[in-house]
Amino acid sequence: MSSDITESIKAKSPFRRGADDGIIMGLLLVAVFFTGTLSFSYTLASDLTPILMLAGVPLLTYFLLRRSYVRDNGMTLFSSLWMQGIVTFFCGSLILAIVMYVYMRWGNPGFMREMVSRMSEFYDSMPETPQSREVSQIFHTMLDENVFPSAINVAIESIWLGVFSGSLLSMLATLAARARRVIPRSDDNRS
């Protein structure tokens, strides 16, 4: 009897659900990263592909939170769903950060130099304003002095960005997931 209660608590834990969902989110974020990276080199992976995949992040967040809400017969608290979303983004961002670090450290060590070079070219091609000239000069200085963010710094910043933006997105997705009523079902059908 005691193990049934323990299993029930574990199955409903927002931390456990968030960690499980984080694997799915991490795979999506990794796919966005690689399609974005490939879009610089190959015309088949156009600039639109990573943007469309990134647009899938809010939808995936909604569906994951809604699934939990429905599994709990509409009884999940706002704070629990929100925490599940935050954990989902933390775990997903952690997976992304590990993949990015490995890629930038050993797969393509010149990645940051290439990105800074592309940004420099972009700002050089813009109509000249004091702001664009200043940003362009910063990029040229980075290239001239060979100073770029390290792979570990980029990976850590991606975790911070993922968790911060994910917590805000999870709040909105939680509101949307709880907006529709759930028709209660029997306990033997729950997973």
Side-chain angles (χ1 to χ4, degrees):
M1 180 89 170
S2 158
S3 67
D4 291 340
I5 294 172
T6 305
E7 288 302 314
S8 175
I9 291 170
K10 283 183 183 176
K12 292 182 181 183
S13 167
F15 301 104
R16 183 175 181 157
R17 286 181 178 176
D20 290 341
D21 293 344
I23 295 170
I24 299 166
M25 184 64 71
L27 293 175
L28 176 61
L29 294 174
V30 166
V32 170
F33 172 70
F34 279 119
T35 57
T37 301
L38 290 174
S39 71
F40 293 118
S41 304
Y42 301 102
T43 55
L44 292 177
S46 71
D47 293 338
L48 191 58
T49 305
I51 293 170
L52 291 175
M53 292 178 78
L54 199 56
V57 171
L59 294 173
L60 178 63
T61 305
Y62 167 78
F63 286 121
L64 293 172
L65 295 178
R66 178 67 184 176
R67 180 184 66 183
S68 293
Y69 189 62
V70 169
R71 281 184 181 168
D72 292 340
N73 287 326
M75 301 300 291
T76 313
L77 297 173
F78 175 88
S79 58
S80 182
L81 280 179
W82 188 17
M83 180 55 70
Q84 177 184 336
I86 292 170
V87 173
T88 298
F89 274 96
F90 175 76
C91 294
S93 297
L94 189 59
I95 291 169
L96 173 64
I98 291 168
V99 170
M100 286 174 66
Y101 176 76
V102 169
Y103 177 76
M104 289 186 288
R105 178 88 167 128
W106 293 288
N108 185 1
F111 179 75
M112 287 309 298
R113 182 181 222 347
E114 183 182 340
M115 291 300 107
V116 170
S117 176
R118 288 182 185 275
M119 292 303 296
S120 173
E121 291 169 8
F122 173 75
Y123 278 98
D124 287 345
S125 69
M126 290 179 63
E128 191 166 321
T129 64
Q131 293 83 9
S132 67
R133 187 174 42 242
E134 183 179 347
V135 172
S136 177
Q137 183 58 42
I138 290 170
F139 286 131
H140 283 290
T141 303
M142 290 174 72
L143 289 167
D144 293 342
E145 296 182 13
N146 204 27
V147 177
F148 309 104
S150 68
I152 193 67
N153 286 344
V154 173
I156 289 172
E157 291 298 323
S158 72
I159 294 172
W160 281 109
L161 176 65
V163 172
F164 177 73
S165 61
S167 67
L168 297 176
L169 181 60
S170 294
M171 183 190 317
L172 298 174
T174 297
L175 290 170
R178 290 174 46 94
R180 287 194 355 237
R181 187 172 177 267
V182 174
I183 299 170
R185 52 194 176 130
S186 63
D187 284 344
D188 52 313
N189 290 337
R190 294 167 71 183
S191 50

